[in-house]
Amino acid sequence: VDSLYVWVGDEKSLNMNNLVTAMKSIYDDTAPLTTTVIDGPLDALAQELSSRLNMRAKKPIFLSYNVEASDEKNFAIEKFIGDKLKSLKLI
């Protein structure tokens, strides 16, 4: 109920090669706990992004990140996600 699922991928292939989750720890509120639910090639990138989204949204995040891109494009994708969540009043 109080979590967000975010899928980032190519609309042509519609794949879900990984799934990670990030949520606040009851023991340490400085950084969210992240874990891989479905192992995939971009897990490290997905964990970093889900962690940042969790800190902004203050909700558990389930993220599937399926786009290999440059750092600049990854930044643009993250900004787009943040803007979209803001427009939906989810963060």
Side-chain angles (χ1 to χ4, degrees):
V1 171
D2 291 323
S3 63
L4 296 174
Y5 172 78
V6 179
W7 177 82
V8 178
D10 181 358
E11 72 178 38
K12 293 176 186 169
S13 62
L14 297 176
N15 58 354
M16 187 170 135
N17 293 328
N18 67 15
L19 181 65
V20 300
T21 185
M23 60 188 65
K24 183 180 172 184
S25 168
I26 61 172
Y27 302 107
D28 181 9
D29 61 358
T30 59
L33 299 172
T34 60
T35 191
T36 299
V37 179
I38 299 174
D39 201 15
L42 299 170
D43 288 346
L45 184 61
Q47 285 185 359
E48 291 171 16
L49 178 55
S50 66
S51 179
R52 287 192 296 273
L53 288 173
N54 173 262
M55 289 188 291
R56 290 179 67 190
K58 302 194 182 341
K59 298 177 183 186
I61 302 291
F62 295 88
L63 173 72
S64 180
Y65 197 89
N66 304 287
V67 177
E68 290 192 47
S70 65
D71 289 342
E72 294 84 22
K73 191 167 184 179
N74 286 328
F75 177 76
I77 290 169
E78 183 173 346
K79 182 175 178 354
F80 175 80
I81 293 169
D83 292 346
K84 187 68 170 177
L85 293 176
K86 279 182 189 175
S87 73
L88 295 170
K89 296 181 176 34
L90 295 172
I91 60 172

